[in-house]
Amino acid sequence: FVILWQSANDASKSELPKELVQAENALSHLDGIEDFTVVNGMQSLYPKDFKEDILSASARKIWDAHAEKGDNLNRPEIRVVALNDETLRAYCDKVGADYDTMQNTENFNGILVNHVAWKEGKNYTSISVLDKKMGDTQVLTGYTYEEDGEESVYDGEAPSLKEIEYDRTLRIAAMTDQVPIGFSTIRTAYDGGLGIDVFVSQAVFEKYLPSDYFNNNVVYFSAADSVSLSDQIEELMTDPAYRGLAYSVSDITSQVRMMEQIIFLINTFSYVFIALISAIGIVNIFNTISTGIILRQKEFAMLKSVGMSPKGFHKMLFFESLLYGIKSLLWGLPISFAVMALLYLVLRQNFAIPFSVPWLQVAIGIGAIFAIVLITVCYGAVKIRKKNVIEGLRKQTL
C-alpha cells in the first residue's frame, strides 16, 4: 500500500489538493494491478451514550463473557472510511448497494460491515456486532480539536488544543460482510475489541466529519508481481508534478515472504539443534542403561538359578524401566514447566499472549521417554539372554 500526504506545512486541509487526487488516479491505473482501494479519510466515532442493548445477541454474549473475567472490552469503535468515487462504485457493485444513495449528502449514508470474525485464541466465530438492519440509524459521537488560544504546557510556542465533541446520525444504507482490499473483518480483544467499519463517499465524509486528511490518504493494491509494482510506484512519484507530496510505500507481500524465509531458517536451525541434542541424549541413555544391564549378568544368573522364570524376569525388567522413566520425569517435568514459565515472562514484555502448556508435546515427550528406556532395557536383556547361567555366576563384575 501507499500512504500519501501533503509535505507543505501550510497545506490546506479543507479539501483534497489537486496533485494528491492526480497521484491517486495515476497510482490506481499502473500496470499489473489486480484490485485497488483508494481511501481519502478515516475518522473514529463511537455509539452515543453506549449501552449493551445496541449489541446483537452474539456480541453481547462475548461482551458479558469478558466482563465476567474482569477483562472488560472497550465500547465499539465505528471507523468511518471515505472511499474515492471509483473505489466506491466498484464496492457498491460488489455488495449490492446503490451508488447514487451513497453519493446523496442529505443523509449521513454509509455501508456498514456489521459482520466480523471474532478471534478467541485459535478459534474464530462469525458474529454481528450491532443489533441493526438496513435503513436503521445510529447516533455516533466523535471528537475533534481546536486551538484555545493558550500556550501548551509541553511547548511554549505551540497553542494548546481543546477537545470538541460532536454528534452525527448515521443512516445504514447497506449492510455486508465484505470489505474492500486493504481491510479485514478479524477482531480480537487486543486490537480494539468489537470494532466495525462504515464506508462512505468522499462527499458525505467532507460534509459530516471534520476534514483532516493528514496521513489518511492510502491506496491499497493487490498485484501478482508486487516487486514490479513497487518499482513503478517509486518511479511515478519522482514526477515533478507530485513534488508537493510526501509518500511511503509498503510491500506487504515482500515483507511476508521475508518473514517466512526468516521463520524457515529459524525452524531449520531449531529442529537440527533439537535433533542433535536429542540424539546425544538418547545415545547416552542407551549406553548407560544397556551397559548397566550387561554388568548385572551375575545378578540375573543368580535369580534364574533360584527359579525365576523368563516371564518373571521380563516383568522385573519392565518395572525397572517404568521406575527409570518415573524418576527422570520427577526431575524433568518441573524443570520443563519452569523453563516454559520463564520464556513466557520474557515474551510477555513484547507480546500480549496468554500462557498455555503444550500438553500434546508434553504427552509425546513422556511417551518417548518410557519407550526409549524400555527399548534400551530390552536390548540389554537380549544381549545376556543367550548367556549360560553357570557362566553368568562365574562372571566377575569389574
Side-chain angles (χ1 to χ4, degrees), residues 229-288:
L229 181 59
S230 297
D231 293 339
Q232 290 184 65
I233 294 171
E234 295 286 354
E235 183 179 356
L236 174 66
M237 295 308 297
T238 59
D239 192 313
Y242 311 127
R243 68 181 60 181
L245 297 177
Y247 72 97
S248 66
V249 181
S250 296
D251 186 352
I252 303 299
T253 302
S254 297
Q255 294 175 8
V256 171
R257 189 180 297 115
M258 183 179 297
M259 288 300 300
E260 289 176 345
Q261 293 173 350
I262 293 174
I263 292 172
F264 175 77
L265 291 175
I266 293 175
N267 286 340
T268 302
F269 173 79
S270 300
Y271 290 141
V272 170
F273 179 77
I274 292 172
L276 179 62
I277 296 298
S278 299
I280 294 173
I282 292 172
V283 170
N284 285 335
I285 294 172
F286 187 86
N287 287 335
T288 302

Side-chain angles (χ1 to χ4, degrees), residues 72-372:
N72 295 319
L73 298 176
N74 297 326
R75 57 177 174 165
E77 176 188 2
I78 290 85
R79 184 172 58 172
V80 181
V81 182
L83 303 177
N84 80 335
D85 293 343
E86 186 175 359
T87 302
L88 180 65
R89 185 181 294 277
Y91 186 52
C92 287
D93 293 340
K94 181 180 179 180
V95 303
D98 183 63
Y99 176 76
D100 293 333
T101 300
M102 293 298 298
Q103 291 287 8
N104 186 355
T105 59
E106 292 183 4
N107 295 299
F108 183 18
N109 295 310
I111 300 174
L112 175 65
V113 184
N114 196 35
H115 287 80
V116 300
W118 181 258
K119 183 181 179 183
E120 288 277 2
K122 296 182 179 180
N123 299 319
Y124 292 85
T125 305
S126 179
I127 65 169
S128 56
V129 178
L130 300 181
D131 186 16
K132 297 290 182 180
K133 60 182 183 297
M134 182 176 171
D136 287 351
T137 60
Q138 174 64 48
V139 180
L140 304 176
T141 297
Y143 303 92
T144 187
Y145 300 89
E146 67 177 21
E147 299 178 2
D148 62 5
E150 299 180 3
E151 290 185 349
S152 171
V153 295
Y154 302 105
D155 188 346
E157 298 181 357
S160 62
L161 301 177
K162 178 174 62 175
E163 184 178 78
I164 305 297
E165 180 178 322
Y166 62 90
D167 296 337
R168 297 291 184 269
T169 301
L170 171 69
R171 179 179 175 274
I172 302 173
M175 297 181 69
T176 182
D177 58 357
Q178 303 179 68
V179 292
I181 182 175
F183 294 85
S184 173
T185 59
I186 298 176
R187 300 291 185 269
T188 69
Y190 303 107
D191 62 2
L194 297 168
I196 53 179
D197 291 329
V198 174
F199 295 94
V200 301
S201 66
Q202 188 64 41
V204 168
F205 188 88
E206 290 179 351
K207 178 176 179 180
Y208 289 93
L209 297 176
S211 297
D212 185 354
Y213 300 98
F214 183 74
N215 271 7
N216 277 342
N217 298 82
V218 187
V219 185
Y220 297 98
F221 304 98
S222 67
D225 189 350
S226 61
V227 176
S228 174
L229 181 59
S230 297
D231 293 339
Q232 290 184 65
I233 294 171
E234 295 286 354
E235 183 179 356
L236 174 66
M237 295 308 297
T238 59
D239 192 313
Y242 311 127
R243 68 181 60 181
L245 297 177
Y247 72 97
S248 66
V249 181
S250 296
D251 186 352
I252 303 299
T253 302
S254 297
Q255 294 175 8
V256 171
R257 189 180 297 115
M258 183 179 297
M259 288 300 300
E260 289 176 345
Q261 293 173 350
I262 293 174
I263 292 172
F264 175 77
L265 291 175
I266 293 175
N267 286 340
T268 302
F269 173 79
S270 300
Y271 290 141
V272 170
F273 179 77
I274 292 172
L276 179 62
I277 296 298
S278 299
I280 294 173
I282 292 172
V283 170
N284 285 335
I285 294 172
F286 187 86
N287 287 335
T288 302
I289 296 179
S290 62
T291 302
I293 294 294
I294 293 173
L295 292 177
R296 293 169 62 191
Q297 289 186 49
K298 186 173 183 180
E299 175 189 342
F300 294 149
M302 186 179 297
L303 291 174
K304 289 179 180 180
S305 69
V306 297
M308 176 176 277
S309 65
K311 182 178 180 181
F313 179 70
H314 292 150
K315 185 181 292 185
M316 180 189 72
L317 292 180
F318 172 78
F319 282 109
E320 282 192 7
S321 302
L322 190 64
L323 184 62
Y324 290 150
I326 292 174
K327 283 185 175 180
S328 64
L329 292 175
L330 289 176
W331 284 96
L333 287 179
I335 294 175
S336 299
F337 288 129
V339 172
M340 290 181 198
L342 181 62
L343 290 174
Y344 170 72
L345 293 176
V346 173
L347 294 175
R348 191 179 63 177
Q349 298 177 5
N350 297 312
F351 303 98
I353 55 176
F355 178 76
S356 61
V357 178
W359 292 111
L360 177 60
Q361 288 77 6
V362 171
I364 293 174
I366 292 174
I369 288 174
F370 283 113
I372 292 170

Side-chain angles (χ1 to χ4, degrees), residues 22-41:
Q22 292 175 343
E24 290 177 345
N25 183 66
L27 287 170
S28 59
H29 293 86
L30 291 173
D31 295 334
I33 294 177
E34 298 175 348
D35 196 4
F36 67 91
T37 298
V38 180
V39 176
N40 284 334

